[in-house]
Amino acid sequence: ELGEGADVREKVAAICQVLDGVPLAIELASARTKALTLEQIEERLNDRFRLLAGGRRGGVSRHNTLQAAVDWSYRLLEPAEAGFFERLSVFHGGFTLESAEQVAAGDGIEPWETVDWLTGLVEKSLLRFDRTSGRYDMLETLRVYAAAKLDDRDGTAMARDRHLEWVVGAAEANSPLRKDGAESFAWIASEASNLTVAFDWADEDGDRAKLAEALGLHHGFTLGDPIEALRLFDIALDGPREAGREAHLLARRAAVLSQLDRTEEALEAGNRAVDLANGSGDEQLRSRVLRSVSVTYGAQPMIDPGLAVSLAREAVAVARSGDPDGLRSALDALTWALLWVDDAFDEIEAATAE
């Protein structure tokens, strides 16, 4: 008897979620409740194949353990297909065709053949494909199994190095310095799990700094975790310096500090970001840093709203000449800043009408 109540239901739901809703796995876990508490089962699910060995009464012998059930499917794979399946285990939170081509091809599989191998694994129910997002993913139970097989053949380090190389390159290409903010944030959100595991694997300061930048944005502005965002931004700022990147990071750091009501530090970071951007010679960077810092200052009641308006007006002026794609966002920043200023209705109306 497991008991009743919301707490029990939450624990059972969490266990089922970790087990990917796989009926056999859930049945084997249920059998363990005779000797383990729900908390003990949940704690041991990282080693699920050992935990869920046996415990199922009746049934065909090859299905007496979760390990045996997955073994049966794995043995149907050709050697090259098995290696490809194993290398895909370094992805967390799913992946795209393009990332699989860069990370999992090799050992006799050319990048252009990747789509055929992915199709085969989808047909064998070892991968899932979401047509809406264009992403593939693997049940966590299968990912853990494939990762163990990859480790058995000493392939983990090479596969994770290739995964790291892909993540660093993709993070650079999708940085807000190179893409529209909304597009950049959408990519970061979709690859947050891959960014996290790559960051944990990286041992070079330059790689860690680039990944910390993306993860800092995710924690600060998607997850709402400003403390972790600050830690990550500090790591990013300790990496190789480049005026444009530093200006962008300081502008984002100012926003997080403002969330924490650390007003003086927010002003210091924001003003430094503006100075670096103004001296960069990059008009697109200037426009985006000016509007970002303006929004930060406008949201902080302890900062003079006139300062936010001044920065936003400058952002609009720069965008008109050097960042046409960012003009709408600059006008939105100006509208936001003007909301806190008296007698600004005409200017607000003009900004929203443009």
Side-chain angles (χ1 to χ4, degrees):
E1 179 64 42
L2 296 177
E4 298 179 356
D7 187 51
V8 171
R9 289 194 295 273
E10 286 176 8
K11 286 185 173 65
V12 170
I15 290 170
C16 291
Q17 183 175 14
V18 171
L19 293 174
D20 305 307
V22 176
L24 172 62
I26 293 170
E27 185 175 352
L28 292 169
S30 177
R32 289 301 189 195
T33 61
K34 296 174 183 177
L36 297 173
T37 67
L38 291 175
E39 291 83 355
Q40 289 172 324
I41 291 173
E42 194 171 11
E43 289 168 0
R44 288 163 172 76
L45 285 178
N46 285 337
D47 194 8
R48 67 193 65 193
F49 291 107
R50 195 166 289 177
L51 173 70
L52 303 181
R56 185 173 188 250
R57 292 176 297 179
V60 184
S61 61
R62 70 176 172 85
H63 283 314
N64 275 348
T65 71
L66 185 61
Q67 175 88 38
V70 182
D71 275 339
W72 183 81
S73 296
Y74 176 79
R75 284 195 293 269
L76 298 177
L77 301 178
E78 300 173 20
E81 188 177 25
F84 180 70
F85 170 63
E86 293 163 12
R87 290 191 293 278
L88 291 173
S89 69
V90 298
F91 289 105
H92 289 244
F95 55 92
T96 63
L97 169 62
E98 293 74 19
S99 54
E101 287 173 339
Q102 293 185 53
V103 175
D107 288 348
I109 297 176
E110 297 296 331
W112 57 268
E113 297 178 301
T114 300
V115 65
D116 294 330
W117 292 100
L118 290 172
T119 301
L121 291 174
V122 170
E123 290 173 346
K124 294 178 176 69
S125 298
L126 293 173
L127 282 181
R128 298 180 294 189
F129 178 62
D130 184 335
R131 287 182 176 82
T132 302
S133 66
R135 292 179 68 82
Y136 299 84
D137 78 329
M138 192 183 293
L139 293 176
E140 182 63 10
T141 296
L142 296 175
R143 196 200 65 76
V144 170
Y145 178 93
K149 289 291 187 182
L150 183 65
D151 203 45
D152 287 345
R153 66 169 82 201
D154 296 324
T156 300
M158 181 178 293
R160 292 197 68 172
D161 283 345
R162 292 172 70 173
H163 177 263
L164 172 63
E165 182 180 3
W166 163 72
V167 174
V168 169
E172 186 80 359
N174 288 278
S175 165
L177 285 171
R178 289 172 171 77
K179 285 201 172 177
D180 172 74
E183 189 177 355
S184 176
F185 274 84
W187 180 86
I188 291 170
S190 68
E191 300 294 358
S193 295
N194 281 314
L195 285 161
T196 300
V197 296
F199 177 78
D200 291 340
W201 179 255
D203 59 4
E204 293 186 11
D205 290 344
D207 289 343
R208 286 177 61 81
K210 290 173 185 175
L211 299 178
E213 174 188 348
L215 285 169
L217 293 172
H218 184 61
H219 281 272
F221 304 100
T222 302
L223 299 183
D225 184 357
I227 299 298
E228 178 64 6
L230 276 183
R231 184 185 76 83
L232 290 161
F233 284 150
D234 286 343
I235 292 172
L237 286 164
D238 281 340
R241 292 297 179 95
E242 172 192 330
R245 184 178 300 281
E246 187 176 0
H248 159 71
L249 282 167
L250 285 168
R252 299 299 185 178
R253 192 174 192 277
V256 172
L257 288 164
S258 180
Q259 290 177 32
L260 295 169
D261 289 328
R262 290 162 60 174
T263 308
E264 292 301 320
E265 292 174 82
L267 273 168
E268 182 181 351
N271 291 344
R272 176 62 177 155
V274 170
D275 288 343
L276 286 170
N278 283 338
S280 70
D282 184 335
E283 294 299 274
Q284 184 183 77
L285 174 70
R286 280 188 68 206
S287 169
R288 296 184 180 191
V289 167
L290 285 164
R291 80 180 186 228
S292 175
V293 176
S294 169
V295 170
T296 295
Y297 287 1
Q300 177 50 256
M302 299 299 292
I303 296 177
D304 178 6
L307 182 55
V309 171
S310 176
L311 290 170
R313 285 173 177 155
E314 190 178 353
V316 170
V318 174
R320 289 191 197 283
S321 61
D323 184 24
D325 291 340
L327 179 57
R328 181 67 262 164
S329 295
L331 288 165
D332 289 343
L334 178 57
T335 301
W336 167 256
L338 289 168
L339 290 174
W340 310 105
V341 177
D342 294 334
D343 302 322
F345 178 77
D346 289 345
E347 193 173 356
I348 291 174
E349 190 173 40
T352 55
E354 187 169 342

